[in-house]
Amino acid sequence: MGRGAVSAGFLAIAMLACLGGAATATEYVVGGSRGWTAPPNITAGYYDEWAAGKAFTGGDTLRFIWNGRHNVAVVNREEYDSCTKVSSVSQGGETFNYTLPADANGLYYFICTVDSHCENGQKLAITVVSPTPAESPNSSGSSSSAVGALPVLVLLSSSIISMLMN
Ligand SMILES: [Cu+2]
């Protein structure tokens, strides 16, 4: 019984440490089970739907996975809109991982430059919100309050442990 209480205390501390620490990077497979592809496998707007509601943050990785002839080009807004055939960043193979910079913020654009895939909807625009926003007084205040909660929880769990052991 004593051992169980100790484990519970550790678990609570570990959980709070996660909350207070840096956000964990997430890996996204672009397009989900469809992967990175063009019509007829997808309809136009498919990647907009896929990206909708996802909270992309700096440090996250986008995994582009495909079959056959596709590539990945990182483009700006204009190139995204007009499907400009800039050089791709993928080096052959059928997969490409793009890790967002740690301080990424704003819109990021990706297209396939093979044939008219981009025109047909093989294009991705995502909104990235950096986990550590610009040095505003608010951001340092919120992180220090999370750190400040840690000793309180340690105290709390140790008193629970001693209660259970007595
Ligand atoms: Cu393509």
Side-chain angles (χ1 to χ4, degrees), residues 69-87:
R69 278 185 70 228
H70 297 292
N71 64 21
V72 180
V74 183
V75 294
N76 62 32
R77 177 65 194 257
E78 265 183 56
E79 294 159 343
Y80 171 87
D81 285 339
S82 41
C83 290
T84 310
K85 291 191 186 300
V86 301
S87 332

Side-chain angles (χ1 to χ4, degrees), residues 14 28 47 50 61 74 77 82 86-87 92 95 115 131 137 140:
Y28 295 96
Y47 293 102
W50 175 79
T61 298
V74 183
R77 177 65 194 257
S82 41
V86 301
S87 332
T95 178
D115 300 335
S140 64

Side-chain angles (χ1 to χ4, degrees), residues 30 36 47-48 62 64 71-84 86-87 89 96 98 100-101 105-113 118 122-128:
V30 174
W36 184 234
Y47 293 102
D48 293 334
L62 299 172
F64 295 85
N71 64 21
V72 180
V74 183
V75 294
N76 62 32
R77 177 65 194 257
E78 265 183 56
E79 294 159 343
Y80 171 87
D81 285 339
S82 41
C83 290
T84 310
V86 301
S87 332
V89 288
F96 177 74
Y98 182 85
L100 294 161
N105 224 324
L107 283 150
Y108 283 74
Y109 303 94
F110 306 86
I111 63 171
C112 173
T113 64
C118 173
Q122 194 176 9
K123 59 199 300 194
L124 170 70
I126 61 165
T127 304
V128 182

